[in-house]
Amino acid sequence: MDAGGVSSSLKAQSSRCPLQDQYLHRKNSKENLDRFIPNRSAMDFDFANYMLTSTQGREGKEKDISAVSSSPSREAYRKVLAETLNMNRTRILAFKNKPPTPVEAIPQPSSVYQAKPAKSRRHIPQSSERTLDAPDLVDDYYLNLLDWGSANVLAIALGSTVYLWDASNGSTSELVTVDDEQGPITSVNWAPDGRHIGIGLNNSEVQLWDSTANKQLRTLKGGHRSRVGSLAWNNHILTTGGMDGRIINNDVRIRDHIVDTYRGHQQEVCGLKWSASGQQLASGGNDNILHIWDRSMASANSATQYLHRLEDHTSAVKALAWCPFQANLLASGGGGGDRTIKFWNTHTGACLNSVDTGSQVCALLWNKNERELLSSHGFTQNQLTLWKYPSMAKVAELTGHTSRVLFMAQSPDGCTVATAAADETLRFWNVFGTPEVAKPSQKTAASEPFSHLARIR
């Protein structure tokens, strides 16, 4: 019975050793012993013998010396002599190392869960990783000629032609070239499915194309009286903004496509962005006005009233970006006479912050992985500026374009940013770093705006 008990005890001790080694990282077992053995090589045996055999005689001599003379000078001389001859030592045994720190058989939570190491600063390349020619790119601040779809295909309008660049293999194809009476092309925007694309024209029409089949599906007419410079998808709703100041919601599934009309701008609508929830729409115009519209207040029979009318900008409002980590946060950028980036609480309409950038703000993009905002600018540096939010401290400034950076688009993984400028170049920047690995989301019926297209005649 006793032998069995000893055996179980030894097993228990051996099973705990690996766990202790994992957390304590002991160099060897000797450092954790509870008995301390003097180090013979570090001891002075002559001095030890003197201390042990002549302690009483030394004490008697000290009493005689103090009795004969107790002058301060003699006392000081005696202390110096004792220190010089190492006579003040009282410890006989010597230890080479200090006693080790006691170890815990079971680590406490504080020793198991250590603090996370400080995050290393991300390297941001100062030059573009790729540059493509973009001849005949229209130098117009109020247009929107670049977009990157969820299928990883970039669309860019050059004059009267829309080109597609497949980022997965670098191939280029021509989607459509419109006639002179229709063009030039004034806006492009991918549908959520990454297959269908809306194309706004100078003659007030909007064409819908299937990029996979390279086929035009339909043309939306009758909504605007002049060019359509801005587009924004909200599932099966394509919202269009025109030079006539109108904003129209078009249901692409039905014959009578106009379902809502927003009237509030007096001049051209140059910026349109739906929130991630699809509930709020932000619109910016050449009248220096920023409007927030609520989807639940939309009406097809009469002009829809805006939720907020924001008049803080002093120049055209084109650059708009909804924050990916705060649903009611919107960033807006003003033109050359304003030069500011403003942040809004779209629930209350309050301006949270305003930053003077020093130059025309052409476009804005949020980093999907970090709390950062990227802005593109015009004269004088034609730069990209990366800001830390909410401090708005400059993280980096990227230069390379020789004319104003009119358009920006973000890759589906949030890593790469494409910029198109009036210098007729298309550049790609690895500014947002490596994206986080995420599980692919399942496709829903809402992401297929053309699922009922067969019913359209």
Side-chain angles (χ1 to χ4, degrees):
M1 295 294 293
D2 292 341
V6 172
S7 176
S8 63
S9 175
L10 291 174
K11 289 181 180 180
Q13 290 180 5
S14 63
S15 65
R16 287 198 298 269
C17 289
L19 183 62
Q20 293 175 354
D21 289 340
Q22 180 179 357
Y23 289 105
L24 300 175
H25 306 289
R26 294 179 298 177
K27 295 181 180 179
N28 55 66
S29 59
K30 291 183 179 180
E31 293 184 3
N32 294 285
L33 297 177
D34 59 351
R35 297 181 61 197
F36 311 127
I37 308 302
N39 191 340
R40 298 176 64 88
S41 61
M43 292 190 296
D44 187 345
F45 285 94
D46 293 336
F47 178 76
N49 180 67
Y50 169 78
M51 291 290 291
L52 290 173
T53 58
S54 61
T55 302
Q56 296 180 352
R58 182 163 52 86
E59 291 178 353
K61 291 180 180 179
E62 287 179 354
K63 290 181 180 180
D64 295 340
I65 293 173
S66 61
V68 174
S69 175
S70 59
S71 65
S73 59
R74 284 184 175 273
E75 183 66 21
Y77 173 78
R78 186 187 63 79
K79 291 182 178 180
V80 172
L81 182 62
E83 291 175 356
T84 304
L85 298 178
N86 205 12
M87 301 290 289
N88 289 331
R89 291 188 297 169
T90 59
R91 178 175 293 181
I92 297 176
L93 301 180
F95 300 89
K96 185 176 181 180
N97 299 323
K98 293 182 179 180
T101 305
V103 282
E104 298 173 345
I106 300 177
Q108 297 298 321
S110 60
S111 62
V112 177
Y113 302 102
Q114 300 180 357
K116 293 183 179 180
K119 191 174 183 179
S120 59
R121 186 171 182 178
R122 184 175 83 252
H123 171 67
I124 301 174
Q126 296 300 301
S127 59
S128 58
E129 60 182 11
R130 187 166 191 170
T131 303
L132 303 177
D133 289 330
D136 300 325
L137 181 71
V138 180
D139 183 7
D140 194 326
Y141 176 80
Y142 304 101
L143 305 184
N144 293 272
L145 305 179
L146 183 69
D147 195 29
W148 204 328
S150 60
N152 206 18
V153 178
L154 187 79
I156 184 171
L158 302 178
S160 297
T161 304
V162 174
Y163 292 93
L164 303 180
W165 183 79
D166 192 332
S168 60
N169 55 28
S171 62
T172 303
S173 61
E174 179 182 326
L175 179 64
V176 58
T177 298
V178 299
D179 299 332
D180 292 339
E181 56 268 19
Q182 294 177 306
I185 294 170
T186 53
S187 56
V188 293
N189 196 241
W190 285 102
D193 61 3
R195 174 175 177 174
H196 302 91
I197 188 172
I199 301 174
L201 304 178
N202 192 57
N203 70 343
S204 78
E205 296 178 355
V206 177
Q207 294 183 359
L208 303 181
W209 281 75
D210 184 337
S211 64
T212 304
N214 200 30
K215 177 183 178 181
Q216 183 179 351
L217 301 177
R218 66 181 300 185
T219 300
L220 306 179
K221 300 180 180 180
H224 296 280
R225 297 190 299 266
S226 54
R227 72 178 187 181
V228 181
S230 54
L231 302 172
W233 285 91
N234 186 2
N235 293 325
H236 56 271
I237 298 295
L238 175 59
T239 304
T240 59
M243 183 179 279
D244 54 12
R246 291 184 181 180
I247 301 173
I248 297 175
N249 284 344
N250 302 272
D251 191 334
V252 299
R253 304 170 300 177
I254 60 179
R255 181 186 299 273
D256 298 329
H257 53 85
I258 300 177
V259 293
D260 304 311
T261 301
Y262 303 149
R263 291 186 177 92
H265 290 284
Q266 302 302 317
Q267 297 186 40
E268 182 170 15
V269 179
C270 51
L272 277 179
K273 283 291 188 301
W274 280 100
S275 63
S277 65
Q279 192 62 31
Q280 290 187 329
L281 173 69
S283 66
N286 193 30
D287 52 6
N288 310 342
I289 302 299
L290 171 62
H291 280 125
I292 306 297
W293 312 85
D294 194 288
R295 184 77 173 88
S296 61
M297 300 170 59
S299 173
N301 299 325
S302 61
T304 301
Q305 181 67 23
Y306 48 77
L307 181 64
H308 298 295
R309 180 182 176 90
L310 309 172
E311 304 178 2
D312 293 33
H313 283 288
T314 58
S315 188
V317 183
K318 176 196 173 186
L320 299 171
W322 289 92
C323 179
F325 52 83
Q326 187 172 334
N328 63 329
L329 178 61
L330 174 72
S332 63
D338 180 88
R339 305 184 305 275
T340 66
I341 298 175
K342 299 184 186 298
F343 298 90
W344 308 89
N345 182 331
T346 59
H347 288 348
T348 64
C351 182
L352 306 176
N353 192 14
S354 180
V355 178
D356 188 350
T357 67
S359 58
Q360 181 185 52
V361 183
C362 300
L364 294 171
L365 285 176
W366 286 96
N367 187 343
K368 297 178 181 180
N369 306 306
E370 302 285 345
R371 292 181 177 247
E372 296 173 343
L373 179 70
L374 182 68
S375 57
S376 69
H377 298 272
F379 183 81
T380 59
Q381 289 185 286
N382 309 307
Q383 83 280 14
L384 304 179
T385 302
L386 184 63
W387 310 84
K388 189 69 177 178
Y389 183 84
S391 65
M392 291 306 287
K394 288 185 181 180
V395 178
E397 282 196 341
L398 311 178
T399 57
H401 284 292
T402 57
S403 187
R404 59 181 179 174
V405 188
L406 293 167
F407 317 112
M408 286 201 302
Q410 192 173 11
S411 61
D413 63 7
C415 176
T416 306
V417 171
T419 58
D423 58 9
E424 296 188 343
T425 63
L426 177 64
R427 294 176 181 264
F428 297 86
W429 311 80
N430 186 16
V431 63
F432 286 151
T434 304
E436 295 179 356
V437 178
K439 295 181 180 179
S441 58
Q442 297 181 352
K443 291 185 178 181
T444 60
S447 64
E448 299 289 345
F450 295 89
S451 57
H452 304 288
L453 191 62
R455 302 179 184 177
I456 301 175
R457 297 291 183 265

